[in-house]
CSV table of all heavy atoms in Angstrom, one decimal:
chain,number,residue,atom,x,y,z
A,576,LEU,N,-20.7,-4.7,-11.6
A,576,LEU,CA,-20.0,-6.0,-11.7
A,576,LEU,C,-21.1,-7.1,-11.8
A,576,LEU,O,-22.1,-7.1,-11.2
A,576,LEU,CB,-19.2,-6.2,-10.5
A,576,LEU,CG,-18.1,-5.2,-10.3
A,576,LEU,CD1,-17.5,-5.3,-8.8
A,576,LEU,CD2,-17.0,-5.4,-11.2
A,577,ALA,N,-20.8,-8.1,-12.7
A,577,ALA,CA,-21.5,-9.3,-12.7
A,577,ALA,C,-21.1,-10.2,-11.7
A,577,ALA,O,-19.9,-10.4,-11.4
A,577,ALA,CB,-21.3,-10.0,-14.1
A,578,VAL,N,-22.0,-10.9,-11.0
A,578,VAL,CA,-21.7,-11.8,-9.8
A,578,VAL,C,-22.1,-13.2,-10.1
A,578,VAL,O,-23.3,-13.4,-10.5
A,578,VAL,CB,-22.3,-11.3,-8.5
A,578,VAL,CG1,-21.9,-12.2,-7.3
A,578,VAL,CG2,-22.0,-9.8,-8.2
A,579,VAL,N,-21.2,-14.1,-10.0
A,579,VAL,CA,-21.5,-15.5,-10.3
A,579,VAL,C,-21.2,-16.4,-9.1
A,579,VAL,O,-20.1,-16.2,-8.4
A,579,VAL,CB,-20.6,-16.0,-11.4
A,579,VAL,CG1,-20.9,-17.6,-11.7
A,579,VAL,CG2,-20.8,-15.2,-12.7
A,580,LEU,N,-22.1,-17.3,-8.7
A,580,LEU,CA,-21.9,-18.2,-7.6
A,580,LEU,C,-21.4,-19.6,-8.2
A,580,LEU,O,-22.1,-20.1,-9.0
A,580,LEU,CB,-23.3,-18.4,-6.9
A,580,LEU,CG,-23.1,-19.3,-5.6
A,580,LEU,CD1,-22.2,-18.7,-4.6
A,580,LEU,CD2,-24.5,-19.5,-5.0
A,581,LEU,N,-20.3,-20.0,-7.7
A,581,LEU,CA,-19.6,-21.2,-8.3
A,581,LEU,C,-19.3,-22.1,-7.1
A,581,LEU,O,-18.7,-21.8,-6.2
A,581,LEU,CB,-18.3,-20.8,-9.0
A,581,LEU,CG,-17.4,-21.8,-9.6
A,581,LEU,CD1,-18.2,-22.5,-10.8
A,581,LEU,CD2,-16.1,-21.3,-10.1
A,582,THR,N,-19.9,-23.4,-7.2
A,582,THR,CA,-19.8,-24.3,-6.1
A,582,THR,C,-19.8,-25.7,-6.6
A,582,THR,O,-20.3,-26.0,-7.7
A,582,THR,CB,-20.9,-24.1,-5.1
A,582,THR,OG1,-20.8,-25.0,-4.0
A,582,THR,CG2,-22.3,-24.3,-5.8
A,583,GLY,N,-19.2,-26.6,-5.7
A,583,GLY,CA,-19.2,-28.0,-6.0
A,583,GLY,C,-20.4,-28.6,-5.3
A,583,GLY,O,-20.6,-29.8,-5.5
A,584,ASP,N,-21.2,-27.9,-4.6
A,584,ASP,CA,-22.4,-28.4,-3.9
A,584,ASP,C,-23.6,-28.6,-5.0
A,584,ASP,O,-23.5,-28.3,-6.1
A,584,ASP,CB,-22.8,-27.4,-2.8
A,584,ASP,CG,-23.5,-28.1,-1.7
A,584,ASP,OD1,-24.0,-29.2,-1.8
A,584,ASP,OD2,-23.6,-27.4,-0.6
A,585,ARG,N,-24.6,-29.2,-4.4
A,585,ARG,CA,-25.8,-29.5,-5.2
A,585,ARG,C,-26.5,-28.2,-5.7
A,585,ARG,O,-26.4,-27.2,-5.0
A,585,ARG,CB,-26.8,-30.3,-4.4
A,585,ARG,CG,-26.3,-31.6,-3.8
A,585,ARG,CD,-27.4,-32.5,-3.2
A,585,ARG,NE,-28.3,-31.7,-2.3
A,585,ARG,CZ,-28.1,-31.5,-1.0
A,585,ARG,NH1,-27.0,-31.9,-0.4
A,585,ARG,NH2,-28.9,-30.7,-0.3
A,586,ARG,N,-27.1,-28.4,-6.9
A,586,ARG,CA,-27.7,-27.2,-7.5
A,586,ARG,C,-28.8,-26.6,-6.6
A,586,ARG,O,-29.0,-25.5,-6.4
A,586,ARG,CB,-28.2,-27.5,-8.9
A,586,ARG,CG,-28.8,-26.2,-9.5
A,586,ARG,CD,-28.9,-26.4,-11.0
A,586,ARG,NE,-29.2,-25.0,-11.6
A,586,ARG,CZ,-28.2,-24.2,-11.9
A,586,ARG,NH1,-26.9,-24.5,-11.8
A,586,ARG,NH2,-28.5,-22.9,-12.5
A,587,ALA,N,-29.6,-27.5,-5.9
A,587,ALA,CA,-30.7,-27.0,-5.1
A,587,ALA,C,-30.2,-26.2,-3.9
A,587,ALA,O,-30.7,-25.1,-3.6
A,587,ALA,CB,-31.5,-28.2,-4.5
A,588,VAL,N,-29.1,-26.6,-3.3
A,588,VAL,CA,-28.5,-25.9,-2.3
A,588,VAL,C,-27.9,-24.5,-2.8
A,588,VAL,O,-28.1,-23.5,-2.2
A,588,VAL,CB,-27.4,-26.7,-1.6
A,588,VAL,CG1,-26.6,-25.8,-0.6
A,588,VAL,CG2,-27.9,-27.9,-1.0
A,589,ALA,N,-27.2,-24.5,-3.9
A,589,ALA,CA,-26.7,-23.4,-4.5
A,589,ALA,C,-27.8,-22.4,-4.9
A,589,ALA,O,-27.6,-21.1,-4.7
A,589,ALA,CB,-25.9,-23.7,-5.8
A,590,GLU,N,-28.9,-22.8,-5.5
A,590,GLU,CA,-30.0,-21.9,-5.9
A,590,GLU,C,-30.6,-21.3,-4.6
A,590,GLU,O,-31.0,-20.1,-4.6
A,590,GLU,CB,-31.0,-22.7,-6.7
A,590,GLU,CG,-30.5,-23.0,-8.1
A,590,GLU,CD,-31.6,-23.8,-8.8
A,590,GLU,OE1,-32.5,-24.3,-8.2
A,590,GLU,OE2,-31.4,-23.8,-10.1
A,591,SER,N,-30.7,-22.1,-3.5
A,591,SER,CA,-31.3,-21.6,-2.3
A,591,SER,C,-30.4,-20.4,-1.8
A,591,SER,O,-30.9,-19.3,-1.3
A,591,SER,CB,-31.4,-22.7,-1.2
A,591,SER,OG,-31.8,-22.1,0.0
A,592,ILE,N,-29.1,-20.6,-1.7
A,592,ILE,CA,-28.1,-19.6,-1.3
A,592,ILE,C,-28.2,-18.4,-2.2
A,592,ILE,O,-28.2,-17.2,-1.8
A,592,ILE,CB,-26.7,-20.2,-1.3
A,592,ILE,CG1,-26.6,-21.3,-0.2
A,592,ILE,CG2,-25.7,-19.0,-0.9
A,592,ILE,CD1,-26.9,-20.9,1.2
A,593,GLY,N,-28.3,-18.7,-3.5
A,593,GLY,CA,-28.3,-17.5,-4.5
A,593,GLY,C,-29.5,-16.7,-4.3
A,593,GLY,O,-29.5,-15.4,-4.3
A,594,ARG,N,-30.7,-17.3,-4.0
A,594,ARG,CA,-31.9,-16.5,-3.7
A,594,ARG,C,-31.8,-15.7,-2.5
A,594,ARG,O,-32.2,-14.5,-2.4
A,594,ARG,CB,-33.2,-17.5,-3.6
A,594,ARG,CG,-33.6,-18.0,-4.9
A,594,ARG,CD,-35.0,-18.7,-4.7
A,594,ARG,NE,-34.9,-19.8,-3.8
A,594,ARG,CZ,-34.7,-21.0,-4.1
A,594,ARG,NH1,-34.4,-21.3,-5.4
A,594,ARG,NH2,-34.7,-22.0,-3.1
A,595,GLU,N,-31.1,-16.2,-1.5
A,595,GLU,CA,-31.0,-15.5,-0.2
A,595,GLU,C,-30.1,-14.3,-0.4
A,595,GLU,O,-30.3,-13.2,0.3
A,595,GLU,CB,-30.4,-16.4,0.8
A,595,GLU,CG,-30.5,-15.9,2.2
A,595,GLU,CD,-30.1,-16.9,3.3
A,595,GLU,OE1,-30.1,-18.1,3.0
A,595,GLU,OE2,-29.9,-16.5,4.4
A,596,VAL,N,-29.1,-14.3,-1.2
A,596,VAL,CA,-28.1,-13.2,-1.3
A,596,VAL,C,-28.3,-12.4,-2.6
A,596,VAL,O,-27.6,-11.3,-2.7
A,596,VAL,CB,-26.7,-13.7,-1.2
A,596,VAL,CG1,-26.4,-14.4,0.1
A,596,VAL,CG2,-26.3,-14.6,-2.4
A,597,GLY,N,-29.1,-12.8,-3.5
A,597,GLY,CA,-29.4,-12.0,-4.7
A,597,GLY,C,-28.6,-12.3,-5.8
A,597,GLY,O,-28.3,-11.5,-6.7
A,598,ILE,N,-28.0,-13.6,-6.0
A,598,ILE,CA,-27.3,-14.0,-7.1
A,598,ILE,C,-28.1,-14.9,-8.0
A,598,ILE,O,-28.7,-15.9,-7.6
A,598,ILE,CB,-25.9,-14.7,-6.7
A,598,ILE,CG1,-25.1,-13.9,-5.8
A,598,ILE,CG2,-25.1,-15.2,-7.9
A,598,ILE,CD1,-23.9,-14.6,-5.2
A,599,THR,N,-28.2,-14.5,-9.3
A,599,THR,CA,-29.0,-15.3,-10.2
A,599,THR,C,-28.2,-16.2,-11.2
A,599,THR,O,-28.7,-17.2,-11.7
A,599,THR,CB,-29.8,-14.3,-11.2
A,599,THR,OG1,-28.9,-13.4,-11.8
A,599,THR,CG2,-30.8,-13.5,-10.3
A,600,THR,N,-26.9,-15.9,-11.4
A,600,THR,CA,-26.0,-16.7,-12.3
A,600,THR,C,-25.3,-17.7,-11.3
A,600,THR,O,-24.5,-17.3,-10.6
A,600,THR,CB,-25.0,-15.9,-13.0
A,600,THR,OG1,-25.7,-14.8,-13.7
A,600,THR,CG2,-24.2,-16.7,-13.9
A,601,ILE,N,-25.7,-19.0,-11.5
A,601,ILE,CA,-25.2,-20.1,-10.6
A,601,ILE,C,-24.6,-21.2,-11.4
A,601,ILE,O,-25.2,-21.7,-12.4
A,601,ILE,CB,-26.3,-20.6,-9.7
A,601,ILE,CG1,-26.9,-19.4,-8.7
A,601,ILE,CG2,-25.8,-21.7,-8.8
A,601,ILE,CD1,-28.1,-19.7,-8.0
A,602,VAL,N,-23.4,-21.6,-11.1
A,602,VAL,CA,-22.8,-22.8,-11.6
A,602,VAL,C,-22.5,-23.8,-10.5
A,602,VAL,O,-21.7,-23.5,-9.6
A,602,VAL,CB,-21.5,-22.5,-12.3
A,602,VAL,CG1,-20.9,-23.7,-12.9
A,602,VAL,CG2,-21.7,-21.4,-13.4
A,603,ALA,N,-23.2,-24.9,-10.4
A,603,ALA,CA,-23.1,-25.9,-9.3
A,603,ALA,C,-22.6,-27.2,-9.7
A,603,ALA,O,-22.6,-27.6,-11.0
A,603,ALA,CB,-24.5,-26.0,-8.7
A,604,GLY,N,-22.2,-27.9,-8.8
A,604,GLY,CA,-21.7,-29.3,-9.0
A,604,GLY,C,-20.4,-29.4,-9.7
A,604,GLY,O,-20.2,-30.4,-10.4
A,605,VAL,N,-19.5,-28.4,-9.6
A,605,VAL,CA,-18.3,-28.5,-10.3
A,605,VAL,C,-17.1,-29.0,-9.4
A,605,VAL,O,-17.1,-28.7,-8.2
A,605,VAL,CB,-17.9,-27.1,-11.0
A,605,VAL,CG1,-19.0,-26.8,-12.0
A,605,VAL,CG2,-17.9,-26.0,-9.9
A,606,THR,N,-16.2,-29.6,-10.0
A,606,THR,CA,-14.9,-30.0,-9.4
A,606,THR,C,-13.9,-28.8,-9.3
A,606,THR,O,-14.2,-27.8,-10.0
A,606,THR,CB,-14.3,-31.2,-10.1
A,606,THR,OG1,-13.9,-30.7,-11.4
A,606,THR,CG2,-15.3,-32.3,-10.2
Side-chain angles (χ1 to χ4, degrees):
L576 299 165
V578 182
V579 178
L580 183 63
L581 183 63
T582 179
D584 209 339
R585 305 188 313 273
R586 184 161 192 87
V588 175
E590 288 179 345
S591 174
I592 298 296
R594 285 192 299 270
E595 190 170 348
V596 299
I598 301 176
T599 56
T600 304
I601 297 170
V602 180
V605 292
T606 62

